[in-house]
Amino acid sequence: MSHKITRQTFDEVMMPVYTPFDMLIKRGKGSYLYDDKGNKYIDFTSGIAVNCLGHCNKEVLDIINEQSKQLIHVSNLFTNDKTLSLAKCLIDNTDFDKVFFVNSGTEANEAALKLARRYAHDVYGDFKNEIISFNQSFHGRTFFSVCVGGQDKYSDGFGPKPQAITHIPFNDIKTFEKSISDKTCAVILEVVQGEGGIIKANDDFLLKVRSLCTKHNALLIFDEVQTGIGRTGKLYAYQTTPVIPDIITSAKGLASGLPIGAVLAKDDVASHFSKGTHGSTFGGSALACAVGEYIVNKVSNKNFLRAIKMRHDLFVETLNAIAKRTGKISDIRAYGLLIGINVKDSLKPKVPNLIKTCASHGLLLLSAGHNTIRIAPALNIKTHTILDGLAILEKELNAV
Ligand SMILES: *Cc1c(COP(=O)(O)O)cnc(C)c1O
């Protein structure tokens, strides 16, 4: 019996945690998506900062094709050349010594938080277990990660939560000074809060956090799940700041669409993930790592990073002009190709609907925080696609 699959099928067969857009996506190419009715959409979402080279990139397809004929997965009972090559490539392009692979952002944070707790337990004793995190932060949906994240609505209603987690205001040095102590084992933050509304950590704040973490022997973890892999203009966003954290986590763009995550740390910390303390069946598969190695080499190239800066400049210039012409934009926050747009307060309740009407007119956008419009396109999006997309946004802004 044949059953026609439509958008309606979602409501029949899927657990209702998501409310996907009204169309059914069939195909993607570069920065464009196509639905089952043949409609074409400009994609400013790139799978939420995942498809960093766009949809069905030729080189990525070639690697998937070749590698899938060699080896897809063997588990961590065995190692393989692709996993080791990606690990080496990540180490060569950052300030860290060791890598642990997982399959997603939340798993990377889960592993980083467990590593920080284990390090403190081994080196200082069990009293040192407190984690400091920030309001509006987002670290994923597994239970430890979601409880560390700064939005209660995501973690409430699932029973007893992991203990010793404190949430304080972001970019607030005074509160941070009062909150950190010798009992703090880790501080975790996003260099640019993504889900929270595209809010960047100030340099002064980061310098203070770094120095107090060092003073109190607390590990500083940067969640680079969204900001990593060229998103903010360097391979990792910490490379745009005056500090070096002790641990970073990476995922989203790392294999341009294949599921992968990574935790990076220095040797003295990494050694506390000793035999048997953590694990993952799928983590660091040969297939995902083969693509990851290509992506990290591609994105860390100076010319590629320079081109991200040019695309950033075009977005900012054009958005500023749109702000002037429409008078409806109150703030533009852009870090590389992670861009947040706020509309004037009176229009804020209309943002969800604005995003819907943009979609029906061929432009796909994200939201973040309190009705911020978020743009996170493929890192290689073309100039004319940027301009075409922003023209649709301007038209729809004028209509609200
Ligand atoms: C998306 C995101 C996560 C969660 O990643 P998943 O792959 O969905 O588990 C964690 N942290 C940040 C900063 C993110 O943007």
Side-chain angles (χ1 to χ4, degrees):
M1 200 184 104
S2 78
H3 177 79
K4 178 137 171 55
I5 301 289
T6 64
R7 166 63 181 80
Q8 191 64 40
T9 314
F10 180 93
D11 304 323
E12 295 160 19
V13 303
M14 297 291 281
M15 294 195 192
V17 285
Y18 305 119
T19 35
F21 283 91
D22 278 338
M23 66 288 214
L24 186 74
I25 300 296
K26 287 284 270 198
R27 191 165 67 80
K29 185 75 198 149
S31 287
Y32 296 93
L33 284 171
Y34 300 83
D35 69 15
D36 59 342
K37 301 189 174 87
N39 296 311
K40 180 178 177 178
Y41 303 88
I42 293 171
D43 185 10
F44 278 4
T45 74
S46 68
I48 317 186
V50 166
N51 302 294
C52 58
L53 297 186
H55 298 283
C56 299
N57 173 271
K58 166 100 174 44
E59 282 72 32
V60 171
L61 294 187
D62 287 347
I63 292 164
I64 291 175
N65 191 21
E66 284 311 305
Q67 185 59 37
S68 67
K69 291 182 215 160
Q70 295 288 326
L71 186 68
I72 293 176
H73 164 89
V74 281
S75 88
N76 294 295
L77 289 173
F78 314 95
T79 194
N80 72 86
D81 56 337
K82 295 302 166 188
T83 304
L84 302 182
S85 298
L86 174 57
K88 204 161 177 327
C89 181
L90 285 168
I91 289 164
D92 288 346
N93 284 290
T94 62
D95 293 271
F96 305 97
D97 305 316
K98 292 275 159 51
V99 181
F100 180 81
F101 285 119
V102 291
N103 311 285
S104 64
T106 195
E107 281 177 81
N109 290 324
E110 190 88 14
L113 293 163
K114 280 182 72 180
L115 176 58
R117 281 259 179 96
R118 179 54 67 116
Y119 173 80
H121 158 94
D122 290 351
V123 177
Y124 302 101
D126 273 332
F127 75 95
K128 193 174 181 67
N129 59 26
E130 291 182 358
I131 293 165
I132 296 178
S133 169
F134 297 93
N135 296 344
Q136 303 308 319
S137 64
F138 182 77
H139 300 301
R141 298 294 199 124
T142 54
F143 203 44
F144 194 7
S145 296
V146 82
C147 290
V148 169
Q151 301 184 59
D152 286 344
K153 65 174 187 206
Y154 291 149
S155 58
D156 287 347
F158 296 100
K161 296 183 186 186
Q163 300 292 294
I165 301 165
T166 308
H167 298 99
I168 59 174
F170 197 47
N171 277 330
D172 179 342
I173 292 178
K174 285 226 166 67
T175 308
F176 183 76
E177 283 173 329
K178 277 188 235 146
S179 306
I180 192 166
S181 76
D182 287 341
K183 287 196 215 163
T184 307
C185 81
V187 175
I188 183 168
L189 61 86
E190 299 155 84
V191 176
V192 180
Q193 289 191 335
E195 304 293 320
I198 319 299
I199 315 291
K200 190 173 193 301
N202 302 328
D203 282 357
D204 288 353
F205 177 67
L206 289 178
L207 285 165
K208 196 72 193 174
V209 168
R210 175 67 278 180
S211 74
L212 288 178
C213 280
T214 303
K215 180 177 167 206
H216 292 284
N217 298 311
L219 296 178
L220 178 56
I221 305 171
F222 280 5
D223 176 348
E224 294 244 25
V225 169
Q226 188 155 174
T227 55
I229 314 301
R231 181 56 52 189
T232 70
K234 288 277 165 76
L235 182 62
Y236 286 102
Y238 85 86
Q239 295 163 328
T240 71
T241 75
V243 303
I244 299 177
D246 299 296
I247 301 177
I248 64 168
T249 57
S250 185
K252 288 201 165 94
L254 183 49
S256 196
L258 294 192
I260 189 169
V263 182
L264 279 68
K266 299 249 200 210
D267 266 327
D268 60 330
V269 173
S271 62
H272 292 271
F273 255 179
S274 55
K275 277 181 210 332
T277 49
H278 197 51
S280 165
T281 300
F282 284 111
S285 78
L287 184 63
C289 287
V291 176
E293 188 192 358
Y294 173 75
I295 296 296
V296 173
N297 277 320
K298 175 105 186 163
V299 170
S300 55
N301 178 281
K302 279 207 175 67
N303 291 329
F304 190 87
L305 293 173
R306 205 170 296 135
I308 291 176
K309 170 88 173 80
M310 283 162 50
R311 294 180 175 98
H312 161 93
D313 290 346
L314 180 62
F315 265 109
V316 171
E317 245 169 63
T318 313
L319 282 167
N320 279 329
I322 291 173
K324 228 180 210 166
R325 287 194 295 265
T326 62
K328 293 189 174 172
I329 291 175
S330 61
D331 193 23
I332 299 162
R333 298 179 298 282
Y335 310 100
L337 288 173
L338 186 55
I339 300 165
I341 303 163
N342 279 17
V343 293
K344 298 248 156 92
D345 277 345
S346 62
L347 296 173
K348 273 195 174 172
K350 300 194 169 166
V351 165
N353 203 48
L354 174 69
I355 290 175
K356 270 191 202 146
T357 60
C358 281
S360 67
H361 290 91
L363 172 66
L364 305 178
L365 297 164
L366 295 159
S367 65
H370 301 293
N371 290 329
T372 292
I373 298 166
R374 175 174 40 153
I375 296 178
L379 303 178
N380 60 357
I381 188 170
K382 298 217 160 72
T383 299
H384 67 87
T385 315
I386 295 172
L387 295 176
D388 290 351
L390 291 178
I392 297 173
L393 177 61
E394 177 166 11
K395 200 155 163 246
E396 298 312 315
L397 264 176
N398 273 325
V400 293

